[in-house]
Amino acid sequence: MSHHDTDGPTDLFVIGGGINGCGIARDAAGRGLSVTLAEMNDLASATSSSSTKLFHGGLRYLEYFEFRLVREALIERETLLRAMPHISWPMRFILPYHKDMRFESETPTSRLLGLFMPWMKGRRPAWLIRLGLFMYDHLGGRKILPGTRTLSLNDSKEGAPLQDRFDKAYEYSDCWVEDSRLVVLNARDAEARGARILTRTKVLSAVREGDLWRVETQNTENGEIQTHLARMLINAGGPWVGDIIQTKVRINSREGVRLVRGSHIVTRRLYDHDKCYFFQGTDGRIIFSIPYETDFTLIGTTDADHPDPSQKPVCTEEEQRYLIDFANQYFAKALSRDDIVWTYSGVRPLYDDGASSATAATRDYTLKVDAEGGAPVLNVFGGKITTYRRLAESALEQIDSHLNVGKGPWTAGVPLPGGDFPVDGVERMTADLQSQYGFLTDFWARRLVRAYGTDAAVMLGAAQTAQDLGRDFGATLTETEVVWLMTREYARTAEDGVWRRNKLGLRMSEAEIENLHDWMAENRRSSTAAA
C-alpha cells in the first residue's frame, strides 16, 4: 500500500461530493482559493441524486412561516435557470382543489386557523391557498416564470387523468433540475478553475496541527493513503456531517442533523401532458406527480425519520403503498404496486431544530464554524438543492473571515459547463444538433442537449455516422459518450453512468448494464496501466 504526501497546504479541504460540497468548491476556486475535495463514493451518490428534482420555492414551507427560505428559493429559481438552461427548465404545477379537503396538520398556520376560525374544522380554505400562491408569485420577483392562474378541470387535458370530483385547480410555476448532473457540472467547473476533485476517496482522519489541518485519505479502489494539509476544513458530509464531526474531526459540537428519508416511485407515463400535480393529503402532507424522462411519471415524496446514515435508504413496501394510496385519492384510474417500474430513496440531512415531526423539521440550512482548537472547520447542516448556490456564498462569507479571500460573490448567472445558451434555446439547439448529425433520432438529440448543452457537439466531434461513435451499449448510449463520462465526468462504474450521469438505466436491460460495467472496468484497467 503506497503512501503519498501532497505538496504545500491547500486553502480548503472539502469533505463531501454532493451538491453543497461541489457548490462550495466551485465558488471558492473561482475566487482564487486552492481547493481539494474528497468524496468517499461517487459524486452525488447519496442525497444529491435522490431528490424530487425540483428547484422550488417550497410552497408548503409558507405554512411554517419559513418566509426567508421561501423568498431566497423563489429568487434563486431564475438565477439558476439562466446558468443551466440544459439541465433545468420551468414546469407548471396543478394544485387540484376540493372544498371538503380535510387536513390533520400541526403547522403554525393550521393552529392559527383553529384558534381564529374553529368552524373550519381542519379544512384548508381556498382563500388561504390563494393567499399562499399570491405570496409565492410576489415574494421572489419573476421575470421568466409565468404567474398563478385558476383552472377549470372540466373537459381539459389537466382534468382528464383526475377523478370527477375535482373541477377546479390552481396552476403555478416552479422548476425542474437534473440533480446529479447539477453536482457533476459544479465539480467540472470547480476543476476547470483549479480545484482537485478526488472521488472514491475516504477521509480516515482530520487532525489540527497548529494553524493547519492534517487530513488522511484513502483511495477505496487501490488502497492508497494520502496526507493533505489544509488551512480550513469544510464538512459537507450531508447525512454523515455529524458522524464526521464525532469520529473524524473529533470536536465537541451541540449541533446535529435529523435524518429524514424521502422515497419516490416511478411508474409508466400516467397522462399525456407535461405538467405536474401537487396533491394534498389528509395527513397534512403533500406529494408531487411529475412527468419524468419522457415515458415515465415520478411520484414522491415521503417523510420518515432515518436514524442511521450507514443504512442505505430504500423505498420500503409501506412507503410504496403510501404513495400509491395517496395518488389514488386523485387519479381516476387506480394505480397498483404492479405499475411501479423503479423506486429510489434518499436521506435529507436537516438541521435538527427539535421539531415534533419529520415533515415539520426546518428545510433551512445552518453553517457553523468551529475555530476554538486552532485551524477552523465549517460544518454544513441542512440545505436544499434549490439554495445550494446561496449556501455556497454564505459559506464563502464565513471562510473569508478566516482566510481573507478578498474576492466577492461571482456565481450568479455564470453558466455551468454546457449552459452558455438562452433559457428558451433547447428546441433550437436540438434541431441544430440533428441537422449537424443526421443520424440522431429526436429522442437521442434531445437527451444529449438536455444532458450536455453546448458540449453535446464537442462530444460528438467529427462523427458522420452512429458507427463513428464506437460501441452501442443500448438506449442511445455509445462508447464516445461513455468515454466522455469517464474522462470528464468522474464516472467509474456503470451505476455512476446510467443512474447518476443520466437515467438510461430505466431503458437498458440488466444484461446491457452488466455489459457496460465490464467494458468500463476493462477500460479503467488499461487506462491506469497506460498512465
Side-chain angles (χ1 to χ4, degrees):
M1 185 189 299
S2 62
H3 187 288
H4 173 67
D5 280 348
T6 52
D7 314 322
T10 181
D11 291 323
L12 296 184
F13 190 97
V14 181
I15 305 176
I19 190 52
N20 292 330
C22 291
I24 291 170
R26 175 195 186 216
D27 192 331
R31 300 191 200 206
L33 292 174
S34 54
V35 181
T36 301
L37 179 145
E39 161 56 51
M40 63 180 172
N41 299 308
D42 178 33
L43 295 175
S45 55
T47 308
S48 297
S49 55
S50 48
S51 75
T52 312
K53 327 277 183 222
L54 300 176
F55 277 158
H56 61 118
L59 185 59
R60 74 177 191 81
Y61 311 144
L62 288 174
E63 286 206 17
Y64 293 91
F65 302 152
E66 295 253 17
F67 299 120
R68 192 209 70 79
L69 175 69
V70 173
R71 181 162 188 273
E72 179 170 289
L74 286 170
I75 294 170
E76 196 58 12
R77 296 176 309 179
E78 300 203 353
T79 307
L80 297 173
L81 276 178
R82 288 195 177 91
M84 51 195 82
H86 45 340
I87 60 163
S88 69
W89 53 91
M91 277 182 161
R92 295 293 278 172
F93 287 73
I94 312 284
L95 194 163
Y97 181 75
H98 192 275
K99 65 182 186 333
D100 297 328
M101 289 178 160
R102 294 250 183 266
F103 305 97
E104 298 303 318
S105 185
E106 271 300 290
T107 70
T109 304
S110 62
R111 288 201 291 272
L112 276 177
L113 279 180
L115 189 62
F116 293 111
M117 308 176 75
W119 61 89
M120 292 301 302
K121 297 190 174 56
R123 284 201 293 263
R124 197 174 283 165
W127 63 261
L128 179 68
I129 293 173
R130 275 209 301 272
L131 175 67
L133 288 166
F134 177 83
M135 291 175 67
Y136 209 66
D137 271 353
H138 294 92
L139 268 175
R142 291 167 297 104
K143 291 194 178 62
I144 303 171
L145 300 174
T148 301
R149 66 185 190 121
T150 305
L151 193 67
S152 161
L153 294 174
N154 304 323
D155 305 321
S156 68
K157 62 175 184 181
E158 294 89 351
L162 302 177
Q163 295 168 22
D164 289 341
R165 64 195 178 100
F166 298 104
D167 50 13
K168 176 179 169 182
Y170 301 103
E171 181 179 303
Y172 68 94
S173 289
D174 258 326
C175 306
W176 175 263
V177 61
E178 300 287 347
D179 55 5
S180 45
R181 289 212 59 72
L182 175 62
V183 178
V184 83
L185 294 182
N186 268 277
R188 275 186 59 193
D189 202 60
E191 188 173 57
R193 294 170 196 277
R196 288 178 69 211
I197 307 291
L198 309 173
T199 63
R200 265 80 183 188
T201 301
K202 199 172 166 58
V203 171
L204 301 177
S205 66
V207 186
R208 282 179 168 131
E209 290 185 355
D211 295 341
L212 294 175
W213 283 97
R214 183 186 173 84
V215 186
E216 291 242 316
T217 60
Q218 181 166 30
N219 178 315
T220 57
E221 290 180 328
N222 62 17
E224 183 185 20
I225 291 182
Q226 283 196 324
T227 305
H228 313 260
L229 295 175
R231 295 187 178 88
M232 188 164 179
L233 196 62
I234 309 291
N235 173 7
W240 289 273
V241 63
D243 179 59
I244 291 166
I245 290 171
Q246 280 143 29
T247 65
K248 307 283 193 280
V249 184
R250 299 201 167 94
I251 53 175
N252 289 323
S253 165
R254 291 177 304 284
E255 256 53 54
V257 284
R258 174 172 191 169
L259 301 181
V260 175
R261 186 173 69 250
S263 293
H264 301 77
I265 57 176
V266 174
T267 65
R268 295 255 159 251
R269 188 173 170 152
L270 299 179
Y271 45 87
D272 56 3
H273 60 78
D274 56 2
K275 296 180 180 177
C276 311
Y277 292 100
F278 175 114
F279 293 149
Q280 311 181 69
T282 49
D283 57 357
R285 297 199 64 259
I286 61 125
I287 62 168
F288 294 105
S289 165
I290 309 174
Y292 188 56
E293 294 290 325
T294 314
D295 301 311
F296 304 91
T297 301
L298 171 63
I299 298 173
T301 174
T302 58
D303 268 320
D305 283 305
H306 186 91
D308 179 8
S310 64
Q311 193 187 350
K312 189 173 159 47
V314 291
C315 181
T316 63
E317 302 274 320
E318 186 186 9
E319 286 175 310
Q320 291 178 37
R321 178 84 277 154
Y322 171 83
L323 291 171
I324 291 238
D325 291 347
F326 201 138
N328 282 343
Q329 293 172 1
Y330 284 85
F331 287 126
K333 188 170 172 290
L335 288 171
S336 78
R337 294 281 298 286
D338 302 336
D339 293 305
I340 300 175
V341 295
W342 184 53
T343 68
Y344 69 90
S345 187
V347 177
R348 311 181 192 87
L350 306 179
Y351 179 61
D352 192 355
D353 60 354
S356 53
S357 77
T359 304
T362 181
R363 279 1 187 215
D364 217 338
Y365 54 81
T366 303
L367 306 175
K368 295 280 162 117
V369 173
D370 178 307
E372 282 165 29
V377 53
L378 171 70
N379 295 306
V380 178
F381 301 97
K384 293 188 60 59
I385 209 152
T386 312
T387 46
Y388 90 89
R389 193 196 64 82
R390 293 284 299 118
L391 181 150
E393 286 186 341
S394 306
L396 264 292
E397 263 174 52
Q398 306 242 14
I399 290 163
D400 188 37
S401 57
H402 293 276
L403 295 186
N404 190 13
V405 181
K407 283 210 181 95
W410 65 275
T411 56
V414 174
L416 284 165
D420 43 345
F421 65 94
V423 169
D424 54 3
V426 166
E427 294 306 320
R428 196 170 155 198
M429 274 186 71
T430 307
D432 288 351
L433 198 70
Q434 268 188 293
S435 62
Q436 198 181 340
Y437 300 98
F439 56 85
L440 294 177
T441 60
D442 287 348
F443 168 80
W444 190 357
R446 176 170 306 268
R447 181 182 76 75
L448 293 179
V449 169
R450 276 284 174 226
Y452 306 105
T454 53
D455 276 339
V458 180
M459 181 202 294
L460 295 172
Q464 310 265 303
T465 64
Q467 287 68 46
D468 292 344
L469 300 174
R471 245 173 112 151
D472 173 7
F473 290 103
T476 72
L477 185 65
T478 63
E479 187 173 329
T480 297
E481 186 173 357
V482 175
V483 169
W484 175 281
L485 295 177
M486 292 176 72
T487 55
R488 306 217 190 184
E489 295 198 354
Y490 318 96
R492 309 284 292 163
T493 66
E495 189 192 342
D496 300 352
V498 305
W499 291 113
R500 281 186 288 274
R501 304 301 180 277
N502 54 57
K503 288 290 178 286
L504 291 177
L506 287 166
R507 301 169 182 279
M508 293 170 72
S509 67
E510 277 179 33
E512 284 172 329
I513 296 175
E514 193 62 38
N515 176 22
L516 171 67
H517 188 88
D518 295 344
W519 188 91
M520 287 173 76
E522 191 50 50
N523 279 270
R524 283 212 314 274
R525 273 199 294 280
S526 56
S527 66
T528 332

